[in-house]
Amino acid sequence: MAGTSSYVHFHDIPNVVLAIIFSLVADTRTRNVMSLVCLKWHLLERSTRKSLTLRGNIRDLFLLPTCFRAVTHLDLSLLSPWGHPLLDSSSNPLFLTQLLRHAFPSVVSLVVYIRNPLTLHLLAPQWPNLRHVKLIRWHQRLPTEPLGSDFTALFEHFGMLSSLDVSLFHSWTEDLPPAIEAYPLIAASLSHLNILKHSSAEGFKSHELLAITASCPNLRKLLATCIFDHRFIGFVGDQTLLALASNCPCLSLLHLVDATSLSNIRPDPNNEGYTSEDASISHTTLGDVFAGLPLLEELVLDVCYNVRDAWPALELLNSRCPKLKALKLGQFHGICRGIDAQPDGIALCQRLESLSIKNSADVTDKALEAISLCCPRLSKFEVLGCKKITSKGMWELTHALRKTLVHVKISFCKNFNAVSSLQAIELIRDRIERLHIDCVWDTLDNSENQTGCSSSQELGESYNLQARKRDMIKEEKRLKKKSKFHFHDVGEDNLFSSRTWSKLHHLSLWIGVGELLTPLSLAGLDDCPALEEIEIKIEGDSRNQQRPCMDSVGLRSLACYPRLSRMLLDCSGVIGYALTAPPGHTDLSLWERFFLNGIEILNLKELNYWLAQDMDVNQRSLFLPAAALLAQCGSLRKLFIHGTANEHFMMFLLRIPTLRDVQVREDYYPAPENDTSTEMRVESCRRFEDALNSSNRHIPD
């Protein structure tokens, strides 16, 4: 056929092949754009969509889509008004549930906010073939409901249930065991159970955990919050762990954490790293537990109480759990002695791809060197609260793992500030994809609180940008002289020269209240061309701070990242005065201005904003300065405010021309119980959503 030509159009591809191509596209916005090309593509996109998060107000039934009949994963937890009983807005709730079933007949995975058991009793019969269920509730459990009532409808109607996630569902720990024991067939079919109680400070007692695992012998994944403190009745110790391994021998994922671990309290940098009490867990028992779980692939043990001399038990992991790829240990000591860099303890787990070490008091640079040499597959490494490691040890680890390591977290470590953390991972800057560091700018020897206003002369100097730069240069020279260790490619004259982090797309930062983000680019993170998402966690008690002496925490300094489009700004760890502050103190409205000032110059498309809190009155509210600053973000499409807000302040947000999706979520415990305790009520929500979706608003795209 030489000399001839043929014209093949994209539409000539068989529908079966085209459907496979469409099914491989995961990004929702990309799929929506594809559906606008032509009618054929529209039908193909809708028929291949497998996952859908339903938004909008539940009262607008005429907007319920009926073209996603192939959807298998349905999320109803974000319907407006958020947190209110799903079916209370309808005069005929049964009819509403039937409409949902008709629109999404193929659902096998469901996420739903359950305010009361009635919602689940009406929804459950509509999808009897459900296999995966995630329940969410941040409001308090009704004390008048009998034990297990929240789970009765779940187990009555879902005979094929294999996965249950109640990690964000507030209930009593006494609720689940009797419900599971009452339905042995359902319990036996469960393969995935997540009972990490993020919404409560309580953990499961040993007898409750054993009752659950005894009823679910086929579990492959178990995540649970426990009590490891031996001073409490029902603590988890040697006997509980042995029984758990015997009850569920097929586990591939075991995630056990103490309830206090979920509070994320920053440890005291001056203590030695040991707690006052030891856990009732011996290394001999741990070895027997590992032997009873030969299929284990991921293990998390965050005990929060000392487990000493753990290295003999950890040496057995390599032989008794040959499939183990991910390991996280909290408050384990003696995990690797690192004597003359000889492999022992955790270093013998040569198949590990992910390792997290938290609050291990005796981990040293030698231990890091042994781990890096003996675990060549590590792609993720996290170290938190380890007091004896230095930047030299981290540099040795990243040097040995420079071909595989792409995810690093360094947090709460006494000998690390932001500059030394970045220098320690200098060798993998062209490979790393995800990074977390603490924004600690003061020197390692003489840590000072740079937010206090005790001396006006010193205050002005500490907040002067040039002075900060000179101080950090002096610090790096002092650190190099002290350690007598020279990092590759770092000379005396180019400590702050531009270095490209070419693959870094996710950056996570911790910063104390009152500190600044401005020195971040000076510390070496000035050139990140691929950075798309940033998480900023701000913590501290603002009640002990004077009025901020700068106008901003430094968000405008993030404008040097050209592709930055998503931000998670978490101020939930900031405590302050929501109402009138005492004389000489600053209320949270001014602190919000300090946190958000400069955000308007960033080209953000999506923002999750967790509000600061007043713990005395359980209030997290958006103030006027924050609303005004957010209204200036001209490129935002999605804005999620985690707290409460006044309707008048929310109306400011309508000035954002591209804003498409806004929601106020009280997703913290305990969430306000009724409208009288919040500013954004049901009718307020309705009026704001009507204004947001009004035809008078012209959205450019």
Side-chain angles (χ1 to χ4, degrees):
M1 300 293 293
T4 64
S5 62
S6 61
Y7 177 75
V8 179
H9 195 273
F10 193 77
H11 283 175
D12 295 333
I13 298 177
N15 288 344
V16 176
V17 177
L18 200 58
I20 295 175
I21 296 174
F22 272 62
S23 65
L24 296 176
V25 180
D27 181 66
T28 302
R29 186 157 170 75
T30 302
R31 294 186 66 100
N32 289 337
V33 171
M34 292 166 59
S35 68
L36 298 176
V37 173
C38 62
L39 179 60
K40 179 179 180 180
W41 282 36
H42 174 83
L43 296 175
L44 271 174
E45 194 282 323
R46 297 304 190 247
S47 65
T48 56
R49 182 82 69 96
K50 297 298 181 182
S51 178
L52 184 67
T53 299
L54 207 58
R55 290 285 285 109
N57 200 301
I58 191 64
R59 62 180 170 80
D60 297 329
L61 292 180
F62 66 95
L63 295 177
L64 185 68
T66 58
C67 53
F68 297 101
R69 302 185 62 82
V71 163
T72 57
H73 174 79
L74 180 63
D75 188 345
L76 300 176
S77 65
L78 300 180
L79 287 170
S80 295
W82 185 93
H84 288 263
L86 179 64
L87 306 177
D88 281 10
S89 60
S90 174
S91 58
N92 190 344
L94 181 59
F95 175 69
L96 176 57
T97 60
Q98 291 173 345
L99 284 179
L100 289 171
R101 181 192 59 184
H102 176 75
F104 310 105
S106 306
V107 171
V108 296
S109 176
L110 179 67
V111 182
V112 61
Y113 196 101
I114 300 297
R115 186 73 177 268
N116 54 55
L118 177 61
T119 302
L120 205 54
H121 276 283
L122 293 174
L123 275 178
Q126 308 304 324
W127 293 293
N129 296 325
L130 277 181
R131 298 179 182 177
H132 312 281
V133 174
K134 180 176 181 178
L135 305 181
I136 300 177
R137 180 171 66 197
W138 291 98
H139 292 81
Q140 297 187 60
R141 176 196 187 278
L142 295 176
T144 56
E145 296 291 339
L147 288 179
S149 59
D150 288 311
F151 303 104
T152 301
L154 193 68
F155 297 142
E156 276 183 355
H157 297 281
F158 299 152
M160 302 177 64
L161 191 66
S162 62
S163 174
L164 176 61
D165 186 345
V166 291
S167 58
L168 302 180
F169 182 75
H170 179 260
S171 61
W172 297 343
T173 58
E174 299 93 333
D175 280 321
L176 189 57
I180 282 185
E181 291 177 328
Y183 296 89
L185 293 180
I186 301 297
S189 67
L190 284 177
S191 61
H192 182 183
L193 181 62
N194 188 344
I195 49 177
L196 283 173
K197 306 298 289 185
H198 292 280
S199 60
S200 173
E202 298 180 359
F204 285 88
K205 299 179 176 63
S206 58
H207 64 274
E208 296 168 342
L209 191 61
L210 292 182
I212 292 172
T213 55
S215 301
C216 307
N218 298 315
L219 281 179
R220 293 188 58 82
K221 297 182 180 180
L222 174 63
L223 302 90
T225 310
C226 310
I227 300 175
F228 287 101
D229 190 345
H230 66 87
R231 295 170 294 183
F232 286 82
I233 297 175
F235 72 92
V236 173
D238 286 344
Q239 297 303 317
T240 306
L241 293 178
L242 288 171
L244 188 151
S246 176
N247 291 340
C248 303
C250 299
L251 283 175
S252 62
L253 183 154
L254 177 61
H255 189 135
L256 300 179
V257 303
D258 189 83
T260 58
S261 175
L262 300 178
S263 61
N264 293 322
I265 299 176
R266 187 173 177 86
D268 183 1
N270 297 318
N271 65 24
E272 296 182 356
Y274 295 97
T275 58
S276 58
E277 300 291 335
D278 291 354
S280 295
I281 300 175
S282 65
H283 62 81
T284 303
T285 298
L286 284 175
D288 294 337
V289 171
F290 299 153
L293 300 173
L295 303 179
L296 209 58
E297 298 179 12
E298 182 175 347
L299 174 64
V300 176
L301 292 175
D302 195 351
V303 179
C304 291
Y305 298 92
N306 301 321
V307 179
R308 302 177 186 267
D309 299 323
W311 62 271
L314 297 176
E315 287 183 347
L316 299 176
L317 272 174
N318 189 50
S319 59
R320 299 187 177 181
C321 303
K323 296 184 177 182
L324 189 69
K325 295 181 180 179
L327 178 63
K328 179 178 181 179
L329 300 174
Q331 215 64 44
F332 276 63
H333 311 295
I335 62 174
C336 180
R337 294 175 295 176
I339 301 175
D340 297 327
Q342 293 297 318
D344 66 354
I346 200 173
L348 294 181
C349 301
Q350 301 176 0
R351 303 178 186 87
L352 285 180
E353 298 176 5
S354 173
L355 176 61
S356 178
I357 304 172
K358 179 181 178 183
N359 297 338
S360 186
D362 52 4
V363 169
T364 62
D365 290 346
K366 288 291 186 181
L368 294 185
E369 183 179 353
I371 291 172
S372 64
L373 294 175
C374 300
C375 302
R377 301 181 183 180
L378 279 180
S379 61
K380 177 181 178 181
F381 183 74
E382 298 180 345
V383 58
L384 302 89
C386 297
K387 309 299 176 63
K388 293 188 176 181
I389 63 172
T390 67
S391 54
K392 181 179 184 299
M394 275 300 300
W395 192 92
E396 292 286 357
L397 182 137
T398 56
H399 176 266
L401 299 173
R402 60 187 181 278
K403 295 183 179 180
T404 60
L405 200 59
V406 295
H407 186 169
V408 176
K409 180 176 183 177
I410 305 173
S411 187
F412 306 155
C413 295
K414 181 179 181 179
N415 296 320
F416 285 86
N417 61 11
V419 176
S420 57
S421 298
L422 292 174
Q423 285 195 339
I425 58 174
E426 177 76 12
L427 285 177
I428 59 172
R429 67 177 184 273
D430 59 338
R431 292 186 51 86
I432 192 167
E433 299 174 2
R434 299 176 68 91
L435 172 65
H436 173 94
I437 61 171
D438 291 349
C439 293
V440 179
W441 308 117
D442 42 21
T443 61
L444 301 178
D445 291 336
N446 300 309
S447 178
E448 296 177 356
N449 184 1
Q450 298 189 10
T451 63
C453 298
S454 57
S455 169
S456 58
Q457 236 178 356
E458 294 177 358
L459 178 73
E461 297 258 338
S462 67
Y463 278 102
N464 184 279
L465 190 58
Q466 297 302 323
R468 280 179 174 272
K469 181 176 179 180
R470 291 194 299 269
D471 289 343
M472 284 192 290
I473 293 176
K474 291 178 182 178
E475 176 187 335
E476 292 311 306
K477 292 180 178 179
R478 179 196 58 76
L479 180 61
K480 290 173 64 178
K481 183 177 180 181
K482 178 180 177 181
S483 63
K484 295 181 181 180
F485 180 81
H486 295 271
F487 296 97
H488 290 203
D489 301 329
V490 180
E492 292 288 332
D493 298 328
N494 66 343
L495 287 170
F496 292 93
S497 61
S498 176
R499 303 181 184 93
T500 301
W501 303 73
S502 56
K503 295 185 179 180
L504 183 65
H505 62 80
H506 179 96
L507 177 63
S508 175
L509 304 171
W510 178 94
I511 184 170
V513 62
E515 290 287 347
L516 301 179
L517 284 172
T518 309
L520 187 65
S521 59
L522 298 175
L525 271 176
D526 57 331
D527 191 2
C528 305
L531 186 62
E532 298 178 349
E533 182 175 6
I534 189 167
E535 295 184 15
I536 303 173
K537 174 76 173 178
I538 306 177
E539 288 185 335
D541 193 342
S542 67
R543 297 173 298 185
N544 300 327
Q545 305 282 345
Q546 297 298 322
R547 183 187 181 97
C549 299
M550 297 290 285
D551 65 341
S552 169
V553 72
L555 290 184
R556 58 172 56 93
S557 66
L558 303 179
C560 64
Y561 307 130
R563 297 187 62 183
L564 182 63
S565 61
R566 297 189 301 275
M567 176 183 290
L568 188 154
L569 182 59
D570 186 356
C571 302
S572 61
V574 176
I575 302 171
Y577 297 105
L579 306 176
T580 304
H585 295 269
T586 305
D587 61 31
L588 287 177
S589 64
L590 292 180
W591 280 106
E592 276 202 323
R593 175 184 294 169
F594 175 71
F595 297 147
L596 290 171
N597 204 358
I599 196 172
E600 67 277 3
I601 70 172
L602 303 180
N603 191 30
L604 295 178
K605 298 294 189 297
E606 180 176 337
L607 174 63
N608 275 270
Y609 178 39
W610 270 264
L611 306 178
Q613 61 175 316
D614 187 333
M615 298 184 66
D616 294 335
V617 295
N618 187 33
Q619 183 174 356
R620 307 178 191 227
S621 183
L622 188 75
F623 294 97
L624 175 60
L629 289 169
L630 290 175
Q632 299 179 44
C633 299
S635 59
L636 270 184
R637 286 187 59 86
K638 297 183 179 181
L639 174 61
F640 305 114
I641 299 172
H642 302 265
T644 63
N646 187 285
E647 179 184 357
H648 175 63
F649 296 161
M650 291 295 293
M651 290 300 180
F652 287 12
L653 304 177
L654 299 177
R655 302 174 185 175
I656 305 176
T658 58
L659 195 61
R660 197 69 188 88
D661 192 2
V662 185
Q663 193 165 46
V664 176
R665 303 173 185 169
E666 300 153 4
D667 48 356
Y668 53 90
Y669 179 80
E673 282 298 320
N674 50 58
D675 285 345
T676 61
S677 61
T678 65
E679 296 95 339
M680 198 69 176
R681 298 172 173 83
V682 174
E683 287 303 309
S684 303
C685 178
R686 180 186 63 79
R687 287 190 291 268
F688 172 75
E689 289 177 344
D690 288 344
L692 180 67
N693 299 319
S694 171
S695 58
N696 296 328
R697 288 188 74 241
H698 174 68
I699 299 176
D701 60 347

